[in-house]
Amino acid sequence: MTLTAQVHTALQALQKAVGSVSEPVTYEVEAGHIRRFAEAIGDPNPLFTDEAAARRTRYGGMVAPPTFLRAFPPNPLPVPDFPLARRLDGGSEWEYHEPIRPGDRITVVQRLADVRLREGRLGPMLFIIRDIIYTNQFGQVVATQRATGIAY
């Protein structure tokens, strides 16, 4: 079977898996992790590093930087593998709904939202779109991410 035929077979299997959801995984948010993350991204905002200063803000205490949730990956999707070994991040769109605070327990799940095939200069490319949902211990969705992965 040619690579193109294998990709089309994989595409059909993946399209049948659209809507599949990963097993949830839960992470505890620690103040030290928030501080180290803010330092690593070079953000000196005291909202992320200084509890005393953060208490004087409208948030009433330290919160995590928006991109902090990148440190909390979801479990893999229960979908068939595909024959394209090279993969890259095709970007993501985020929506934030609630602040993330030290002591929160964030549960992460992802859902396969869509799969598309395009021809590129190097051959077939699969665009895999996933919705990732981050929920706190109160059942509030704190953020959602639509992530695009590209396999070629």
Side-chain angles (χ1 to χ4, degrees):
M1 185 184 295
T2 66
L3 177 62
T4 300
Q6 291 175 356
V7 170
H8 282 279
T9 300
L11 174 65
Q12 290 173 346
L14 286 167
Q15 286 175 329
K16 288 180 183 172
V18 168
S20 296
V21 178
S22 69
E23 288 292 321
V25 59
T26 301
Y27 300 92
E28 183 108 16
V29 178
E30 298 173 358
H33 190 190
I34 293 172
R35 280 190 204 96
R36 287 190 306 278
F37 187 89
E39 290 169 9
I41 63 172
D43 192 330
N45 187 334
L47 194 56
F48 311 137
T49 58
D50 183 343
E51 179 62 30
R55 284 183 183 222
R56 294 188 297 272
T57 69
R58 66 182 172 118
Y59 294 100
M62 239 172 81
V63 297
T67 54
F68 180 74
L69 291 172
R70 282 278 191 181
F72 295 166
N75 277 324
L77 283 166
V79 299
D81 202 8
F82 41 91
L84 301 171
R86 294 185 207 129
R87 301 182 187 186
L88 60 93
D89 185 341
S92 59
E93 299 170 20
W94 289 82
E95 290 184 28
Y96 299 98
H97 307 286
E98 296 290 335
I100 299 157
R101 302 175 184 282
D104 276 355
R105 292 180 46 80
I106 304 297
T107 299
V108 185
V109 295
Q110 66 174 326
R111 181 182 71 83
L112 181 61
D114 194 14
V115 180
R116 291 181 233 136
L117 178 66
R118 289 189 183 163
E119 282 297 320
R121 284 185 319 157
L122 301 175
M125 302 186 312
L126 280 175
F127 289 75
I128 301 158
I129 293 91
R130 301 170 295 132
D131 290 329
I132 304 169
I133 298 109
Y134 303 87
T135 306
N136 67 16
Q137 69 275 18
F138 304 113
Q140 299 169 312
V141 174
V142 296
T144 56
Q145 175 189 184
R146 175 155 275 210
T148 300
I150 303 169
Y152 62 99

